[in-house]
Amino acid sequence: MEPFRPREKAWLGLAEGKLFYYPLGQGEDSVLVINADTLQEETSLDLDVDCLGSQCLFSDGECIGQIKVKKEGGCVLRKFATLSSPMLVVEEKALQLSQKTVLVMGKAKYDSQESIHTLYQDTSDQVVRVMASRNSVAVQTTSGKLLYTGSGAVFGITSKDVSKGEWKEVALPDKNVKVEHCACDNAGTFCLVVSDKGTVYFGGVNKKGEAGEAAGGRGQSKPAKLKRVAKLSKQEVCGCACGGHATGMVTRDGKLYMFGSLEDDLVDKSTGVVTDLLGMPASQVAMGRSHTAVLTQHGVVYTFGNNSFGQCGRNYKPPKEKGVEGEEGGGEEGAGGSSSDEEDEEGLVPDNICDDGDHKWAHDVCMICTMCSYCN
């Protein structure tokens, strides 16, 4: 069987059991009916419309459809019957192009309206990514800008908060670059911003070495403006994430770098690279308060960190609420809990975790305690 028009770009569609062929970019006003077994042309059916200009054909299994840009603006959707030539229009609808809108809900210092409502809508520069922290919301736009409303502390901006309905652009340290990716921690204390050149910047409070350099310590409370992460100055970064007191960055060559409050044997302390994932190229990273999920280029997901609530997707023992024995719901003490960093956000202490030094590790990509299932 000889190839059928092997060098021609075309659309193929199936409707009413027939195979249709339409060459692209030539302004043809007819489609060919092709024998599905021999790939030979059987007949041609004319389209009862103008086919010049931008258009897209599709099939719903019964009819051939067309989406076409109108000269006066907007688009039109048409459906054609395939029983005769010319194929008559059996349905026609005008299409309104959708607009991306940022909707928010909940309490915030800069926005007193708790019910769901529109926060951002701009037809000239639409949103491609959103980022929310404790006291701010940021959007990355199609033009490569990063805008925020609320507090700018997460970006190291200490000026007056931006009021509801207003947006302020975050300036990058380097000129002529666009924002490619961004992330921030839930508390709104620090962030990572990746440019289209592969440069990664850190902003906010570097309390526990999240910036890849010596931590400022508990005394440092003033947020610092965005600056390059020095340890990755020679790497091309394509993705990032922020956890409770740690940061993660994925490079184009698939390496995962992490900085901040981490287990001693998780990363190479001199470079920040996650050694156990070398040879398994990463494509994306996501971080919670004290656990991490990594998607590799082969479609495999790895997790590590605190598994006290099963957040790493492994077997675990549910934590017990602290409270007075016999009191339903644990009482006031159990609901509040302590303020330790190791305590979960709901005030529950995961008491099934071994004490430091009591873990018995099983090594397999990451370390898993055989006693309490904590994954490191």
Side-chain angles (χ1 to χ4, degrees), residues 23-94:
L24 300 177
Q26 300 179 23
E28 295 285 343
D29 57 2
S30 63
V31 295
L32 303 180
V33 180
I34 307 300
N35 187 296
D37 297 321
T38 64
L39 296 184
Q40 298 298 312
E41 178 182 338
E42 292 184 345
T43 186
S44 65
L45 301 176
D46 294 333
L47 292 168
D48 191 27
V49 292
D50 174 22
C51 292
L52 295 176
S54 300
Q55 66 169 339
C56 173
L57 296 183
F58 67 93
S59 169
D60 62 2
E62 296 180 357
C63 299
I64 298 297
Q66 177 200 51
I67 298 176
K68 192 174 188 304
V69 178
K70 297 188 295 184
K71 292 181 181 179
E72 60 272 21
C75 297
V76 62
L77 181 149
R78 302 184 179 104
K79 285 188 177 182
F80 304 90
T82 61
L83 301 177
S84 62
S85 180
M87 295 192 300
L88 300 178
V89 177
V90 295
E91 185 178 356
E92 182 170 328
K93 292 181 179 180

Side-chain angles (χ1 to χ4, degrees), residues 15-29:
E16 294 289 351
K18 299 177 183 178
L19 184 63
F20 293 88
Y21 177 96
Y22 181 80
L24 300 177
Q26 300 179 23
E28 295 285 343
D29 57 2

Side-chain angles (χ1 to χ4, degrees), residues 109-259:
K109 285 171 48 179
Y110 58 89
D111 188 351
S112 59
Q113 185 177 348
E114 296 185 25
S115 59
I116 187 169
H117 60 283
T118 300
L119 188 65
Y120 179 93
Q121 187 175 35
D122 187 343
T123 57
S124 62
D125 198 9
Q126 295 195 37
V127 175
V128 295
R129 183 175 283 107
V130 296
M131 185 175 74
S133 63
R134 184 176 182 179
N135 295 315
S136 65
V137 170
V139 296
Q140 176 190 334
T141 68
T142 53
S143 65
K145 294 180 180 180
L146 183 60
L147 311 174
Y148 78 92
T149 187
S151 172
V154 67
F155 305 107
I157 300 173
T158 56
S159 57
K160 185 179 179 181
D161 291 357
V162 180
S163 303
K164 178 184 176 181
E166 299 179 2
W167 295 85
K168 185 175 181 179
E169 183 176 356
V170 178
L172 299 185
D174 299 319
K175 296 181 179 180
N176 301 320
V177 294
K178 298 179 180 179
V179 174
E180 184 73 18
H181 204 281
C182 55
C184 70
D185 73 316
N186 181 60
T189 55
F190 62 88
C191 73
L192 290 174
V193 178
V194 179
S195 76
D196 58 345
K197 306 296 184 183
T199 304
V200 59
Y201 309 96
F202 177 90
V205 179
N206 179 37
K207 185 177 180 180
K208 296 190 177 182
E210 298 92 339
E213 56 189 45
R218 293 184 177 274
Q220 181 190 347
S221 59
K222 185 178 180 181
K225 292 184 178 180
L226 289 174
K227 68 175 182 178
R228 291 192 180 197
V229 176
K231 285 190 176 180
L232 292 177
S233 60
K234 295 182 180 180
Q235 302 291 334
E236 188 176 353
V237 178
C238 60
C240 63
C242 295
H245 290 290
T247 53
M249 289 143 274
V250 175
T251 60
R252 295 286 181 192
D253 59 2
K255 291 180 181 178
L256 173 63
Y257 291 81
M258 296 184 72
F259 304 106

Side-chain angles (χ1 to χ4, degrees), residues 290-292 303-308 311-312 366 373-376:
S290 55
H291 71 289
T292 302
T303 61
F304 49 89
N306 191 339
N307 190 47
S308 58
Q311 58 266 57
C312 288
C366 64
S373 299
Y374 180 86
C375 58
N376 182 14

